[in-house]
Amino acid sequence: MEQQPSILKEIRPHGTKSFPCAIYRTHSVGKGVFVKHHWHNEVEILYFSGGEFRLEINMESFTIRSECFYFINPGELHSIIMETSEHHWEDAVLFSPGLLSFDSYDEAQIQLIKPIQKGKLLFPRCITPEHPAFHPVRDAFMDIMYSFMQMPTPLPNAPDETIQSDSPVMGGGLVTDDLTSQLYIKSSLLYILATLSNHRLFTPTERNLDKRVETIKTALRYIKDNYQDKIYITDLASQVNLNEQYFCRLFKKAIGLSPMDYINEYRIKQTKRLLEETDLPVTEICLGCGYNNLGNFLREFRKRTGTTPLQYRKHGGVSL
């Protein structure tokens, strides 16, 4: 059986091995979680043309009400929540900093590219239209989007953190193997870096990184690796050397759910996948996803989907 992509740390590369860069367009379909908590090793440039979103990055919350850019540095835990039921798009470019490296060791490589690769320089958190760098960055960003769309290759469907999309191609992302497109994309990314550098928007990495973020990442990894077994709060708290009460408060603050609610949500997500992709009996799926009691499983499934596992499978994975 094909392994399910992690909804925590993304295990697949964005782009291709020779050109690690891709674009994504995610379309909101209603109020609620838009992009689930996750992190990755690539830089992500997010463009919001409008709408009402709440972007959470490393335990900080940012309210979005108008056009803007946000930058996600490698390894940063982040999620997006849609605050209204109106339809809006969020566009993203993800790329590996190594894509922009030079063989010649010039000043750009020494002062900018290498420090970004090593995590010693951070992108600015946000740029709004009032900032002089905004419009040059937006022009270059749109050039990147256009270049991908000229010679696109669709990626597989997006992992669970980007499930809401009207288009399976754009929801899964686009890559390109066209030489001309790649040159335009690379030059546009360098232009964005040059613009940010010109306006002194890069900042040195602070050494006193928030340990709470790593605590949450450790807990999420443990849930992903052990959801098929019984998980107690004490198990999670012991993984991060915290007492149970403090850990639960920290987890709820970071994720917006209690640890047990998150575990149940993750388990139900796995059961839905197995119902869609396999012919396994419901009882086997129940036991394989960490539920030792069929009655508890059926109640939890109906609570989160509005239907039964058999009806969910019958209707092709559509919740009521």
Side-chain angles (χ1 to χ4, degrees):
M1 182 185 301
E2 184 180 354
Q3 185 178 5
Q4 171 74 351
S6 170
I7 68 168
L8 310 176
K9 182 181 186 295
E10 294 181 358
I11 57 175
R12 68 187 178 95
H14 293 277
T16 64
K17 185 175 181 180
S18 61
F19 195 75
C21 181
I23 64 169
Y24 299 82
R25 299 202 77 197
T26 309
H27 185 220
S28 66
V29 295
K31 186 176 180 179
V33 176
F34 188 57
V35 176
K36 291 183 178 293
H37 282 88
H38 68 289
W39 70 95
H40 41 67
N41 294 329
E42 293 84 4
V43 174
E44 182 171 3
I45 305 175
L46 293 168
Y47 173 66
F48 298 91
S49 58
E52 295 186 22
F53 298 89
R54 186 169 81 250
L55 175 61
E56 295 183 355
I57 308 172
N58 283 356
M59 307 288 290
E60 288 188 78
S61 184
F62 303 90
T63 300
I64 296 166
R65 293 287 183 270
S66 58
E67 186 182 23
C68 61
F69 280 102
Y70 271 83
F71 296 83
I72 309 296
N73 294 288
E76 292 187 322
L77 183 68
H78 57 286
S79 67
I80 306 174
I81 297 172
M82 187 70 186
E83 301 276 52
T84 69
S85 58
E86 298 177 3
H87 289 202
H88 290 281
W89 288 95
E90 169 262 315
D91 296 333
V93 172
L94 283 87
F95 67 95
S96 170
L99 174 69
L100 305 179
S101 292
F102 300 100
D103 285 336
S104 59
Y105 221 64
D106 58 11
E107 289 305 308
Q109 183 80 354
I110 296 170
Q111 296 187 36
L112 194 61
I113 306 298
K114 276 296 182 183
I116 291 174
Q117 280 186 278
K118 293 181 178 180
K120 294 181 178 180
L121 275 184
L122 297 178
F123 283 77
R125 181 57 74 213
C126 175
I127 298 178
T128 59
E130 295 77 26
H131 196 284
F134 180 85
H135 291 287
V137 168
R138 186 177 63 179
D139 290 344
F141 185 91
M142 295 305 172
D143 286 343
I144 292 171
M145 299 293 290
Y146 177 79
S147 295
F148 270 107
M149 292 178 187
Q150 289 295 90
M151 299 292 292
T153 301
L155 285 170
N157 284 337
D160 287 339
E161 66 271 9
T162 54
I163 59 173
Q164 302 185 61
S165 173
D166 282 351
S167 167
V169 174
M170 295 308 292
L174 290 180
V175 299
T176 181
D177 55 6
D178 177 68
L179 173 61
T180 302
S181 296
Q182 289 184 0
L183 288 172
Y184 278 125
I185 292 162
K186 194 168 183 177
S187 64
S188 294
L189 286 172
L190 287 169
Y191 185 81
I192 290 175
L193 263 62
T195 302
L196 299 179
S197 177
N198 181 50
H199 291 279
R200 301 181 184 276
L201 292 175
F202 286 103
T203 57
T205 304
E206 296 181 4
R207 291 301 175 187
N208 56 338
L209 296 177
D210 193 339
K211 293 183 179 179
R212 297 176 302 171
V213 175
E214 293 306 315
T215 294
I216 297 301
K217 285 183 178 181
T218 299
L220 294 178
R221 289 190 196 99
Y222 185 87
I223 292 170
K224 170 184 172 290
D225 293 339
N226 296 277
Y227 74 92
Q228 296 170 313
D229 303 318
K230 188 70 175 176
I231 300 177
Y232 297 94
I233 297 298
T234 185
D235 297 327
L236 293 170
S238 65
Q239 291 293 312
V240 292
N241 299 316
L242 295 175
N243 69 59
E244 295 178 29
Q245 189 175 21
Y246 178 77
F247 168 76
C248 288
R249 289 200 304 268
L250 177 63
F251 192 96
K252 179 69 178 289
K253 181 179 180 180
I255 303 300
L257 297 171
S258 70
M260 293 313 300
D261 279 343
Y262 182 88
I263 291 168
N264 279 320
E265 181 181 90
Y266 188 85
R267 284 172 171 162
I268 294 300
K269 189 176 296 295
Q270 305 313 309
T271 66
K272 288 164 64 177
R273 174 179 62 84
L274 291 173
L275 287 167
E276 294 170 17
E277 299 177 3
T278 75
D279 295 321
L280 291 172
V282 170
T283 51
E284 188 173 339
I285 292 175
C286 165
L287 295 172
C289 289
Y291 290 98
N292 295 321
N293 184 291
L294 182 60
N296 289 339
F297 165 66
L298 293 175
R299 282 192 294 273
E300 193 68 36
F301 192 91
R302 180 177 286 278
K303 172 185 172 182
R304 296 179 183 276
T305 66
T307 187
T308 67
L310 289 178
Q311 287 297 314
Y312 183 87
R313 173 179 274 166
K314 179 179 178 181
H315 293 288
V318 177
S319 300
L320 300 181

